Amino acid sequence: MNSISSGTSFPAIRGVQAGSEYYIVMCPLKRLRKVFTFDESSLPVEARAQRTLNTERIPQITNYILSQREDYAFSAITACIEGASVFTSIGQGPHETNIGTLTIDADAEVYITDGQHRNAAITEALKQDPTLAEESISVVFFADKSLEDRQKIFKDLNLYPKKADRSLGITYDNSPAAMLSKELIYKNPVLLKLIDLEKNNLGPRSKKLLTHSAFNKASRELFDKVTADNYQELSLVAAKYWQAVYDNMTEWQFVYEDKLSAGDARKHSVNVHSVTLQALGIVGRQLLKLPKWQQQLKKLKQINWDRSNKADWEGRCMINGEMSNNSSRANATATRIKTLLGLTLSAKEQQDETKLAGTRNEQ
């Protein structure tokens, strides 16, 4: 290869895939802005090899870096070099020929093929925490790649990867909210048997009744804020609440005791679905402020949870007889449960109930 008079250099390891060289470097975070100077996502789709940058994701990733300052982790950024680059090995030995320095010509363009949101979030995190500057991220460089080459690499990188289920992500997470639900599940044999810690969608043959992601969301609904300082204390309160819910849910008990399959329970009852679980979390936030909340929770036994009970559940956790899961459905379901438990509704909840009643009358 020809020498390059000026450019950006990195210590690198050389590899070969499909007959083409690629290079792995450790790039200091402070240098990312100098390496990736061009936002390819701003180009028309036919002129780029990248998705449009989703700016809403950047604050989320930035917050992850800053909140997990001591143990954040990122996979490598993948980039393509369009222009000249030179790899200079440190020697001629079997390993030495693949260890050396990668120099990218100053006139070459470097495009991110995978990791544009990580790059943007790191840039933002550096503004808020300059101590990140000397830390590094691995970057895989493919050399001398045209637009057509880069588009194929983008397709190939995204062809087979499958995003981990949210339940498994929470199980492996160490954020306060994740630690709260894990603390509850690991210390309770009932929850450990009923909750799937890996999958986000339960098939008809699954022996698990609920998902970790649904239980995590429902448990967070119980409290105003879960932090590293309070999650253990909150878990003690939440443990009592979910035990009391279980004690008054016949369907949950039957599944735990193997008297009813989880699949049949989901087929016939609304109280074993994530939308209703979230609703129970919303109800719990109000209940836990009352001195005799456990007594009121006993009324759960009197509620008809069957999906055929459209008077209570249609337009809330069910739409046209099918379960429907989003925040508004969870809130509407929670409002109905509060009414059936004899709890006082807020002005907003009363207003929403009036609107729902009006919609039903029109139908």
Side-chain angles (χ1 to χ4, degrees):
M1 289 185 183
N2 297 325
S3 62
I4 293 175
S5 58
S6 64
T8 304
S9 297
F10 300 95
I13 298 175
R14 175 171 55 183
V16 177
Q17 284 186 3
S20 297
E21 290 188 355
Y22 69 96
Y23 311 94
I24 302 173
V25 310
M26 299 299 121
C27 181
L29 300 186
K30 67 181 180 181
R31 294 185 65 186
L32 288 175
R33 288 184 64 185
K34 296 179 180 179
V35 177
F36 304 119
T37 58
F38 180 66
D39 179 13
E40 185 184 12
S41 67
S42 63
L43 296 174
V45 63
E46 69 276 8
R48 55 179 156 90
Q50 183 55 267
R51 300 182 182 95
T52 302
L53 191 68
N54 182 353
T55 56
E56 293 182 359
R57 288 187 58 195
I58 297 172
Q60 297 172 352
I61 304 173
T62 301
N63 183 63
Y64 160 72
I65 299 170
L66 298 174
S67 63
Q68 305 288 322
R69 181 64 183 83
E70 300 303 321
D71 56 5
Y72 73 91
F74 281 133
S75 57
I77 292 173
T78 303
C80 290
I81 304 167
E82 189 177 276
S85 62
V86 170
F87 177 77
T88 306
S89 63
I90 61 173
Q92 299 302 314
H95 299 299
E96 292 175 338
T97 56
N98 290 320
I99 301 172
T101 300
L102 174 68
T103 303
I104 302 171
D105 189 88
D107 293 329
E109 199 66 73
V110 182
Y111 299 95
I112 296 178
T113 309
D114 182 64
Q116 59 172 344
H117 293 94
R118 271 165 279 163
N119 176 62
I122 288 169
T123 299
E124 182 59 36
L126 277 166
K127 295 176 184 177
Q128 301 182 46
D129 185 357
T131 65
L132 287 161
E134 298 303 326
E135 297 191 8
S136 61
I137 187 169
S138 56
V139 180
V140 178
F141 285 107
F142 288 91
D144 195 23
K145 297 299 181 182
S146 65
L147 173 61
E148 185 179 356
D149 294 331
R150 291 188 282 111
Q151 288 175 337
K152 184 179 185 304
I153 291 173
F154 176 84
K155 182 206 72 173
D156 291 347
L157 288 175
N158 290 278
L159 186 60
Y160 296 113
K162 182 180 181 298
K163 188 176 181 180
D165 278 358
R166 178 159 173 75
S167 286
L168 184 60
I170 295 171
T171 299
Y172 288 165
D173 193 7
N174 62 355
S175 67
M179 295 300 293
L180 170 67
S181 59
K182 288 194 288 185
E183 187 96 354
L184 294 168
I185 295 168
Y186 293 158
K187 291 185 176 180
N188 188 319
V190 172
L191 295 178
L192 196 57
K193 181 176 180 178
L194 295 180
I195 294 175
D196 195 310
L197 293 167
E198 295 187 52
K199 297 178 182 177
N200 220 41
N201 292 300
L202 303 179
R205 295 185 179 180
S206 174
K207 294 183 179 181
K208 299 294 185 178
L209 191 63
L210 303 161
T211 67
H212 190 185
S213 62
F215 183 70
N216 175 267
K217 181 183 288 187
S219 297
R220 286 187 282 117
E221 291 283 7
L222 292 171
F223 308 107
D224 294 329
K225 190 173 184 179
V226 180
T227 69
D229 294 327
N230 70 9
Y231 82 85
Q232 288 183 312
E233 181 181 351
L234 296 182
S235 71
L236 300 176
V237 177
K240 291 180 181 178
Y241 178 75
W242 290 120
Q243 183 63 49
V245 170
Y246 171 81
D247 290 341
N248 293 287
M249 288 290 195
T250 304
E251 292 82 1
W252 293 22
Q253 294 169 23
F254 279 1
V255 174
Y256 176 71
E257 296 166 2
D258 297 320
K259 295 177 180 178
L260 175 69
S261 73
D264 283 341
R266 285 192 294 275
K267 189 184 299 182
H268 298 291
S269 302
V270 303
N271 64 346
V272 294
H273 289 267
S274 57
V275 60
T276 314
L277 189 66
Q278 184 181 352
L280 288 165
I282 296 169
V283 172
R285 183 184 295 212
Q286 181 173 341
L287 268 177
L288 289 172
K289 296 174 182 177
L290 304 176
K292 296 183 178 180
W293 63 267
Q294 288 164 308
Q295 287 296 115
Q296 284 193 269
L297 207 54
K298 289 181 178 180
K299 294 179 183 178
L300 288 176
K301 283 185 177 180
Q302 302 168 17
I303 295 177
N304 179 1
W305 299 104
D306 199 277
R307 289 172 66 164
S308 64
N309 179 19
K310 294 186 178 181
D312 283 331
W313 311 125
E314 183 62 36
R316 300 178 191 277
C317 57
M318 291 197 314
I319 301 297
N320 297 323
E322 297 296 325
M323 297 302 298
S324 179
N325 182 19
N326 59 44
S327 294
S328 63
R329 300 299 176 202
N331 283 315
T333 304
T335 300
R336 187 57 185 159
I337 296 173
K338 287 181 181 181
T339 300
L340 294 170
L341 295 181
L343 297 176
T344 303
L345 300 184
S346 67
K348 175 67 166 56
E349 289 170 333
Q350 292 174 357
Q351 185 179 14
D352 290 342
E353 286 294 282
T354 301
K355 287 182 180 179
L356 180 58
T359 303
R360 284 182 166 182
N361 291 333
E362 290 175 3
Q363 296 174 346

